[in-house]
């Protein structure tokens, strides 16, 4: 018997959760349930995260959380419960299988069977944003080596344990050489440990286009948080419907399972919604807690129900579907099919006692880190970079000097183009003079000089070499 936490959420949440629990209990799931409240009412009662403090204790004690969709109230101040839960509980891996149920569910893709493994904690989702000048705001994209190693190892282990043949990595490292570059580099390193699994890398733009066009050429896809967010919805939609997909959020200690869609408030309380997405989440949960046979029984009964043409409104199609049913009738049909297998669609056989070998991250020996310069980000309303350069050169010191100015990344000094459009946000790079060592207090001196010269520095970024290799981007055009 496994104790799990359940939240019925908002909108269609309670109906699809009741249907899901009815099906898995009828199939013999050995679970005990602690129910907690999350979502709209909790937000409106003054909890900005949509969950009460004591509910965290229940989730952390049980470690397995089945969650229905919630409604995030409109207006300021409310934080996404999903993002908070993933980060608080360290749920670094978001696993979303997307498969075609053709010819029973309309789709252009008859052969599609992919699993998207999305990094769930890092990237632009840190919510670290600042306005720096009148014209420019920034969002920090943070990528860590532990984060990359954990998610990429998860993808290869997943492929190994579940008999998948290939892992594809999507990044944009032709542009983001440091951040996406690290993800790609770690992918290449870890791939070497799995010679039996094919591996490949695609630039995300053409990769995503290929996935939308010919998904059958992909198997497991691993990617960064933002790209994964976008492509996993595309994958679910082109497989047939976002209403059919579930997802697992897996961490070292805890895990959360859910449907990928939202609370569909317009359909709430009408016994119309398709419970399949949440049911897919629950099936992943049953596998996660080792109740493989129950998971298999539910999945096969569900496939048979879809194959029988018993469909909710969202996938109902004249000529293919046989009967349009509501949420609870669909659940009853799946219960009736427990113990049966589909005959056209492939029955599933889940791997028993699947254990992914995911060692905890061990910190690497410290690298040799050498300060070699600093970028000053300056708020300046002028338009001629040569004028700014003159001001900045006046504060050169004996061990460093101005080497470059960029505006939105493109080099505008020295030898900029007069055509380049410039905002009020300038990155001004100082590099150490040949043979001179740079220390942090030299930067403080530079900042003090900038202050005296009425240069408005809004941020600094130190330039380092790690083990003798420059670890910062050049200016575009440099
Ligand atoms: P949605 O996913 O709720 O609905 C989009 C469309 O899909 C609607 O037309 C809806 O009728 C249909 N749909 C969704 N699930 C369905 C199902 N199971 N059966 C049949 N049809 C279904 O997206 P939305 O309308 O943009 O968002 C509604 C609310 O859900 C918002 O408050 C949003 O913040 C929230 N949301 C929550 C989660 C979550 O809790 N994980 C995820 C996404 C959105």
């Amino acid at each position: 018997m496994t104790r799990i936490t359940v939240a019925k959420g908002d909108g269609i949440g309670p109906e699809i959760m009741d249907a899901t629990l009815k099906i898995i209990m009828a199939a013999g799931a050995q679970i005990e349930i602690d129910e907690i409240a999350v979502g709209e009412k909790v937000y409106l009662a003054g909890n900005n995260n949509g969950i009460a403090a004591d509910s965290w204790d229940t989730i952390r004690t049980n470690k397995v959380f089945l969650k229905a969709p919630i409604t995030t109230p409109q207006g300021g101040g409310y934080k996404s419960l999903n993002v908070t839960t993933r980060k608080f509980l360290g749920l670094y891996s978001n696993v979303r299988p997307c498969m075609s149920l053709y010819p029973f569910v309309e789709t252009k893709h008859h052969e599609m069977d992919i699993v998207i493994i999305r990094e769930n904690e890092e990237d632009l989702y840190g919510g670290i944003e600042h306005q720096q000048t009148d014209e420019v705001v920034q969002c920090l994209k943070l990528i860590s080596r532990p984060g990359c190693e954990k998610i990429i190892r998860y993808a290869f282990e997943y492929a190994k344990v579940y008999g998948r043949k290939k892992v594809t990595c999507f990044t944009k490292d032709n542009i983001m050489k440091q951040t996406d570059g690290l993800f790609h580099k770690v992918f290449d390193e870890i791939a070497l440990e799995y010679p039996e699994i094919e591996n490949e890398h695609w630039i995300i733009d053409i990769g995503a286009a290929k996935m939308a066009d010919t998904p059958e050429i992909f198997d497991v896809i691993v990617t960064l948080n933002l790209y994964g967010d976008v492509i996993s919805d595309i994958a679910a939609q082109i497989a047939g419907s976002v209403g059919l997909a579930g997802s697992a959020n897996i961490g070292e200690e805890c895990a959360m399972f859910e449907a990928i869609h939202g609370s569909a408030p317009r359909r709430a309380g009408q016994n119309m919604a398709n419970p399949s997405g949440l049911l897919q989440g629950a099936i992943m949960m049953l596998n996660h807690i080792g109740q493989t046979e129950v998971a298999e029984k539910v999945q096969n009964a569900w496939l048979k129900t879809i194959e029988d043409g018993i469909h909710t409104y969202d996938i109902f199609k004249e000529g293919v579907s046989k009967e349009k049913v509501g949420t609870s009738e669909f659940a009853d049909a799946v219960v009736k099919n427990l113990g049966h297998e589909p005959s056209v669609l492939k029955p599933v056989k889940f791997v028993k006692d699947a254990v992914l070998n995911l060692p905890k991250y061990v910190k690497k020996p410290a690298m040799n880190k050498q300060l070699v310069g600093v970028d000053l980000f300056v708020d300046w309303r002028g338009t001629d970079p040569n004028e700014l350069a003159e001001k900045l050169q006046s504060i050169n010191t004996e061990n460093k000097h101005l080497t470059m100015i960029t505006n939105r990344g493109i080099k505008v000094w020295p030898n900029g183009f007069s055509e380049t459009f410039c905002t009020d946000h300038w990155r001004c790079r100082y590099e150490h003079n040949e043979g001179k060592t740079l220390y942090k207090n030299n930067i403080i001196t530079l900042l003090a000089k900038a202050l005296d010269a009425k240069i408005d520095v809004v941020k600094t970024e130190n330039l380092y070499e790690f083990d003798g290799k420059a670890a910062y981007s050049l200016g575009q055009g440099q």
Side-chain angles (χ1 to χ4, degrees):
M1 197 64 78
T2 304
R3 229 184 155 76
I4 66 162
T5 307
V6 162
K8 292 193 174 178
D10 300 313
I12 59 170
E15 298 158 70
I16 59 173
M17 182 60 85
D18 287 344
T20 298
L21 292 176
K22 183 177 185 180
I23 296 167
I24 64 171
M25 295 315 267
Q30 298 293 300
I31 52 172
E32 284 172 336
I33 290 170
D34 286 322
E35 194 179 329
I36 58 162
V38 295
E40 205 170 16
K41 280 198 208 82
V42 188
Y43 277 115
L44 297 177
N47 294 283
N48 269 1
N49 291 316
I51 178 167
D54 56 351
S55 297
W56 285 118
D57 299 339
T58 313
I59 293 174
R60 291 168 75 190
T61 306
N62 292 339
K63 301 194 187 308
V64 177
F65 182 22
L66 181 63
K67 182 186 138 301
I70 61 156
T71 303
T72 311
Q74 296 292 310
Y78 300 114
K79 294 267 183 202
S80 157
L81 174 63
N82 272 0
V83 176
T84 312
T85 310
R86 286 168 189 163
K87 298 191 83 167
F88 262 157
L89 300 179
L91 309 180
Y92 65 90
S93 179
N94 187 312
V95 183
R96 191 181 289 186
C98 296
M99 73 179 169
S100 166
L101 299 168
Y102 184 83
F104 305 102
V105 176
E106 187 68 16
T107 164
K108 295 188 185 88
H109 306 293
H110 304 173
E111 302 295 329
M112 175 173 181
D113 179 13
I114 62 183
V115 179
I116 293 174
I117 297 185
R118 159 190 170 195
E119 198 290 315
N120 225 5
E121 296 182 287
E122 307 198 332
D123 198 355
L124 291 158
Y125 287 63
I128 309 172
E129 294 192 297
H130 304 92
Q131 177 160 2
Q132 296 186 325
T133 65
D134 283 4
E135 293 174 347
V136 174
V137 288
Q138 77 160 16
C139 175
L140 274 190
K141 171 161 171 158
L142 293 178
I143 301 295
S144 74
R145 178 168 265 277
C148 294
E149 286 194 11
K150 274 160 65 174
I151 192 67
I152 290 164
R153 189 171 296 288
Y154 189 95
F156 277 100
E157 279 291 315
Y158 183 97
K160 182 174 163 186
V161 167
Y162 292 102
R164 298 270 174 170
K165 302 279 179 288
K166 181 167 80 171
V167 180
T168 304
C169 175
F170 283 175
T171 75
K172 187 81 183 171
D173 68 339
N174 54 334
I175 303 295
M176 283 160 278
K177 296 186 168 68
Q178 294 288 331
T179 49
D180 287 30
L182 177 62
F183 197 89
H184 187 173
K185 181 166 179 258
V186 172
F187 177 79
D188 287 344
E189 286 168 16
I190 292 183
L192 293 175
E193 297 176 33
Y194 298 85
E196 72 282 15
I197 298 166
E198 198 187 325
N199 70 81
E200 61 179 7
H201 171 268
W202 292 70
I203 298 293
I204 177 76
D205 39 12
I206 185 61
K210 268 284 189 203
M211 185 200 75
D213 184 55
T214 40
E216 63 275 15
I217 66 171
F218 295 107
D219 194 343
V220 173
I221 297 174
V222 66
T223 189
L224 298 94
N225 203 345
L226 177 61
Y227 311 141
D229 194 359
V230 176
I231 66 161
S232 57
D233 266 24
I234 295 173
Q237 185 63 30
I238 64 171
S241 161
V242 284
L244 293 173
S247 85
N249 298 270
I250 310 281
E252 285 175 354
E253 298 281 330
C254 301
M256 173 171 80
F257 301 86
E258 59 186 344
I260 69 162
H261 57 73
S263 57
R266 284 191 308 124
R267 307 287 178 193
Q270 298 162 57
N271 189 37
M272 284 179 82
N274 189 344
S276 297
L278 188 58
L279 186 64
Q280 288 303 308
I283 291 167
M284 286 193 257
M285 176 189 78
L286 290 168
N287 273 319
H288 179 80
I289 59 177
Q291 299 188 22
T292 316
E293 276 162 28
V294 187
E296 221 165 77
K297 201 167 162 188
V298 175
Q299 179 74 347
N300 283 327
W302 176 74
L303 287 170
K304 168 115 176 60
T305 309
I306 297 283
E307 197 176 280
D308 287 346
I310 300 174
H311 293 168
T312 43
Y313 83 95
D314 55 315
I315 55 168
F316 185 86
K317 187 147 195 283
E318 219 58 72
V320 178
S321 308
K322 301 250 162 50
E323 200 185 335
K324 191 190 276 183
V325 292
T327 314
S328 62
E329 293 76 23
F330 182 81
D332 290 341
V334 178
V335 169
K336 233 163 105 193
N337 278 331
L338 287 169
H340 298 277
E341 292 192 343
S343 45
V344 179
L345 296 170
K346 205 166 141 225
V348 294
K349 197 94 197 112
F350 289 130
V351 180
K352 279 200 180 38
D353 304 319
V355 180
L356 277 59
N357 179 20
L358 301 164
K360 284 209 187 280
Y361 181 79
V362 181
K363 278 202 189 299
K364 311 268 182 285
M367 295 169 118
N368 178 14
K369 179 175 162 189
Q370 183 71 43
L371 186 65
V372 294
V374 63
D375 281 346
L376 303 189
F377 290 79
V378 169
D379 181 346
W380 186 62
R381 297 183 65 88
T383 50
D384 180 2
N386 295 309
E387 201 185 311
L388 179 61
E390 214 169 289
K391 257 165 107 73
L392 290 161
Q393 281 173 311
S394 76
I395 62 167
N396 280 348
T397 64
E398 46 102 20
N399 61 2
K400 61 190 166 314
H401 66 286
L402 183 74
T403 55
M404 172 186 81
I405 303 176
T406 69
N407 197 295
R408 293 186 300 173
I410 182 89
K411 189 189 73 171
V412 292
W413 181 91
N415 310 321
F417 284 14
S418 59
E419 291 87 345
T420 306
F421 180 81
C422 291
T423 66
D424 57 4
H425 186 267
W426 309 80
R427 173 179 59 166
C428 310
R429 175 161 294 175
Y430 288 84
E431 288 176 89
H432 69 130
N433 293 338
E434 203 60 40
K436 296 281 183 184
T437 308
L438 216 54
Y439 300 98
K440 284 249 179 77
N441 57 0
N442 300 134
I443 296 176
I444 295 169
T445 309
L446 183 70
L447 286 174
K449 285 178 148 217
L451 194 65
D452 287 344
K454 302 209 167 10
I455 296 166
D456 183 5
V457 178
V458 292
K459 157 188 157 123
T460 63
E461 202 74 67
N462 296 351
L463 307 180
Y464 289 108
E465 284 176 1
F466 283 86
D467 288 346
K469 260 180 76 182
Y472 46 88
S473 55
L474 299 178
Q476 286 159 344
Q478 197 183 10

